Amino acid sequence: RPDGDGAAARGGMPVPVHFGGPGGLLPPIPKDGAFTGWTEDEESCELKLPLPPGTKKADINASITPTSLSVALRAGGAPLLIVSPLAARIVSDETTWFLEDGVMVITLAKMQGVGATSAAQIWGRSLCAGGPGSTFECYLSPAEVAARLGIEPPPQRAPVSDGT
């Protein structure tokens, strides 16, 4: 278990802690929620959103604020992905997006906290902070996103029983 600054492994000496990236020391954290096509490290979060066939950059309306992300088609305004609030604040001016082979690739620049540890910069299982008034929607199911991206689909969760 990392202690945030990675010091546990070497008798108090800090060691790098990487989550789920190439050469990462820990396995990727499984993702939950309406959209699971994303990865992260301490500095950024990368989303890969498969788009409807034939979608061009001019067809996309992306609204990115420090606390939310909204992607929609300009014609008709059909929402593709809405996340509000995000799991943590981002630097919207440093966030980028582009299209690649029918996929919108969005790199969210995480706001770095003063004195924050590497572990504190990891959002974990969900892209959305959740709570009252939150919105987390994707036009594709997690299984459809996985199939379109050619990645392993998220595991199915067992239904929660209410005891009846």
Side-chain angles (χ1 to χ4, degrees):
R1 179 182 91 72
D3 61 1
D5 65 1
R10 294 210 176 123
M13 297 286 295
V15 295
V17 177
H18 299 284
F19 292 82
L25 302 176
L26 298 175
I29 298 170
K31 306 302 181 189
D32 283 340
F35 181 72
T36 58
W38 62 285
T39 58
E40 68 175 329
D41 62 22
E42 293 87 353
E43 297 177 358
S44 65
C45 176
E46 183 179 87
L47 292 74
K48 292 187 176 182
L49 177 63
L51 298 171
T55 302
K56 296 175 179 46
K57 188 172 183 175
D59 301 331
I60 302 284
N61 183 19
S63 174
I64 302 167
T65 73
T67 59
S68 68
L69 168 66
S70 175
V71 178
L73 292 177
R74 287 190 191 277
L80 302 177
L81 180 64
I82 302 171
V83 185
S84 179
L86 289 163
R89 294 180 67 84
I90 63 166
V91 182
S92 51
D93 292 346
E94 295 177 15
T95 292
T96 61
W97 66 272
F98 61 92
L99 302 187
E100 180 177 69
D101 299 324
V103 174
M104 182 177 186
V105 180
I106 307 166
T107 303
L108 303 174
K110 292 180 177 180
M111 186 169 287
Q112 302 297 306
V114 177
T117 63
S118 294
Q121 292 297 118
I122 299 299
W123 293 358
R125 299 183 72 88
S126 183
L127 193 57
C128 184
S134 66
T135 303
F136 193 16
E137 301 172 4
C138 181
Y139 84 110
L140 295 171
S141 72
E144 290 170 315
V145 170
R148 297 263 309 268
L149 294 176
I151 60 174
E152 190 72 26
Q156 293 290 329
R157 291 189 172 257
V160 178
S161 172
D162 64 3
T164 57

